[in-house]
Amino acid sequence: MNSIKKVAFYTLGCKLNFSETSTIARNFSSEGFERVDFKEKADIYVINTCSVTENADKRFKSIVKQAQKINPEAFVAAVGCYAQLKPQELADVEGVDLVLGATEKFNITSYINDLTKNDMGEVHSCEIQDADFYVGSYSFGDRTRAFLKVQDGCDYKCTYCTIPLARGISRSDTLENVLQNAKEISAKNIKEIVLTGVNIGDYGKGEFGNKKHEHTFYELVTELDRVEGIERLRISSIEPNLLKNKTIEFVSKSKSFVPHFHIPLQSGSNEILKLMRRRYMKELYIDRVAKIKQTMPHACIGVDVIVGFPGETDELFLETYNFLNELDISYLHVFTYSERDNTVAASMQGIVFKSVRAKRSKMLRGLSAKMRRAFYEQQLGSTRTVLFEGENKQGYIHGFTENYVKVKAPWNPKLVNTLHEVELTKIDDDGIVRFEFIKEEVV
């Protein structure tokens, strides 16, 4: 009889969750478990949950059902943000055996004894103020890039957000550990590292388990730029008030950091920004975009925006729409506001009808498509470096330039996980860019 136990993982939510799932999976491997795909029969299914996505509970229930369909005897564990916020709710779902909160998830193997199913879900969830230690992690999104976690938690108190409740205070990995992880990734022939965290511009805080700062985000990027063997480093998302001029200037001259910034805005109305308790006004955001474009005219800038926040009148929404329309940015990530328990915004006046939220979301998604197209058109005729990805999508290979232009070519397995200089030539009917190789011999 095969005594090796099999474990499968399902991850909901952000890149940070994916990097943490990888760390949890490595813990299972070191305990002698074999990792299998979630669609395969396993002895234990681990679901890493998210509290940000709407209908998180419905999504969770359907994933539990999926696991039970494959193996009704399997042990099912829930970890992650939703498990911290609503542990009992998840424990009450039929088939769930174990729910672990923010501090316990990295010790999951010590909570699993004989894998016999429980009559009811067992909960181990800390008070969130106990989530004050740091667990480093990284994951491979595919063969070409890795997500490297450098920071966790958040000290900001935005009125719509549950992340501080789910992940605790802001804390960072030690610089030494981040650099070690980066070296391990580069040794695996991974060409691109994406830095992730909840609030990565806050890097340095909590590096010693307290608020003492030895390092800053600027020092982190300068040190990472020196690591041998990494072709590309990408900053995933950084708050506008934490993106300093010297960081922008450093990226513009950097060996490895690419000219791509993702900067949450959330609203183009100062009135709404105040209600959200964001830590800047829109004037600062204009300044950040101008500084990036002044030093790197070809830089790609992505923007997070929330529509339908309480108090967002038609006039205030149009203020956001017009503000975005006039900014020199490349694309939007549009989030439709949804109420979250235990947040200040959930009890605010001026609730926006869901149908209005949906209409506003559609308008901004349309604006985003126009912006991306305009940005791609600006790049035509330029020479860029493309990193090709590993998937054959309907006979095509896709890749991204350093400034995040998506390109495609007929499938060629020799191109997978390689970097090539190309000239961007035209935009295809599907909105993806075509190119010519600068050196013919690579084809």
Side-chain angles (χ1 to χ4, degrees), residues 20 52 77 100 158 165 234 246 252-253 274 276-277 288 309 321 366 388 392 431 439:
E20 290 181 344
V52 176
L100 297 180
C158 300
L165 300 172
R234 204 177 285 277
K246 64 179 183 178
S252 74
K253 301 181 186 82
K274 283 175 189 162
M276 290 176 164
R277 288 194 202 147
R288 300 297 75 209
F309 189 80
Y321 186 95
F388 289 99
N392 182 341
K439 292 177 183 152

Side-chain angles (χ1 to χ4, degrees), residues 238-265:
I238 184 164
E239 293 283 311
N241 52 307
L242 295 173
L243 178 57
K244 307 295 185 198
N245 280 350
K246 64 179 183 178
T247 303
I248 294 169
E249 279 158 15
F250 179 78
V251 169
S252 74
K253 301 181 186 82
S254 153
K255 159 174 86 79
S256 313
F257 277 90
V258 294
H260 175 207
F261 295 86
H262 193 93
I263 314 167
L265 168 67

Side-chain angles (χ1 to χ4, degrees), residues 42-76:
D43 300 287
I44 175 165
Y45 292 92
V46 180
I47 304 165
N48 194 352
T49 63
C50 172
S51 65
V52 176
T53 48
E54 191 138 30
N55 302 326
D57 53 340
K58 282 186 201 149
R59 190 86 197 277
F60 176 75
K61 282 174 187 164
S62 74
I63 295 159
V64 173
K65 272 191 188 137
Q66 196 181 321
Q68 287 194 294
K69 213 173 188 175
I70 304 163
N71 181 7
E73 300 304 309
F75 189 90
V76 176

Side-chain angles (χ1 to χ4, degrees), residues 207-225:
E207 201 181 341
F208 302 97
N210 53 30
K211 293 297 173 203
K212 192 172 151 226
H213 267 263
E214 184 172 314
H215 298 106
T216 61
F217 182 71
Y218 177 73
E219 286 169 296
L220 174 74
V221 297
T222 54
E223 289 297 319
L224 277 168
D225 202 46

Side-chain angles (χ1 to χ4, degrees), residues 233-405:
L233 285 154
R234 204 177 285 277
I235 299 167
S236 63
S237 178
I238 184 164
E239 293 283 311
N241 52 307
L242 295 173
L243 178 57
K244 307 295 185 198
N245 280 350
K246 64 179 183 178
T247 303
I248 294 169
E249 279 158 15
F250 179 78
V251 169
S252 74
K253 301 181 186 82
S254 153
K255 159 174 86 79
S256 313
F257 277 90
V258 294
H260 175 207
F261 295 86
H262 193 93
I263 314 167
L265 168 67
Q266 312 309 14
S267 176
S269 154
N270 282 344
E271 197 175 317
I272 297 294
L273 288 172
K274 283 175 189 162
L275 287 173
M276 290 176 164
R277 288 194 202 147
R278 299 292 285 158
R279 296 199 175 190
Y280 52 86
M281 292 289 102
K282 65 183 184 183
E283 290 72 19
L284 176 94
Y285 202 92
I286 293 169
D287 182 65
R288 300 297 75 209
V289 171
K291 179 67 182 172
I292 291 166
K293 287 295 185 175
Q294 179 198 332
T295 50
M296 293 165 273
H298 61 297
C300 178
I301 303 174
V303 180
D304 286 344
V305 61
I306 295 171
V307 296
F309 189 80
E312 187 184 63
T313 60
D314 286 345
E315 291 73 22
L316 293 179
F317 168 69
L318 283 174
E319 193 183 332
T320 291
Y321 186 95
N322 293 330
F323 178 75
L324 290 165
N325 199 21
E326 284 159 24
L327 273 181
D328 190 0
I329 53 180
S330 318
Y331 64 90
L332 307 173
H333 278 175
V334 184
F335 297 90
T336 306
Y337 172 75
S338 65
E339 287 76 6
R340 292 280 177 265
D341 290 349
N342 303 314
T343 58
V344 175
S347 55
M348 280 183 177
Q349 303 293 307
I351 292 168
V352 178
F353 288 126
K354 290 203 169 167
S355 57
V356 175
R357 295 181 208 182
K359 187 175 130 195
R360 290 177 186 171
S361 177
K362 194 176 175 185
M363 281 176 72
L364 285 186
R365 286 177 210 278
L367 179 61
S368 179
K370 267 180 18 192
M371 285 173 165
R372 196 183 293 270
R373 175 94 192 185
F375 177 65
Y376 281 8
E377 281 172 358
Q378 286 166 16
Q379 303 307 308
L380 295 181
S382 66
T383 299
R384 298 281 170 241
T385 306
V386 171
L387 173 57
F388 289 99
E389 304 195 332
E391 204 182 331
N392 182 341
K393 292 184 180 169
Q394 297 172 322
Y396 287 94
I397 188 166
H398 289 132
F400 283 94
T401 63
E402 65 275 36
N403 61 341
Y404 213 54
V405 173

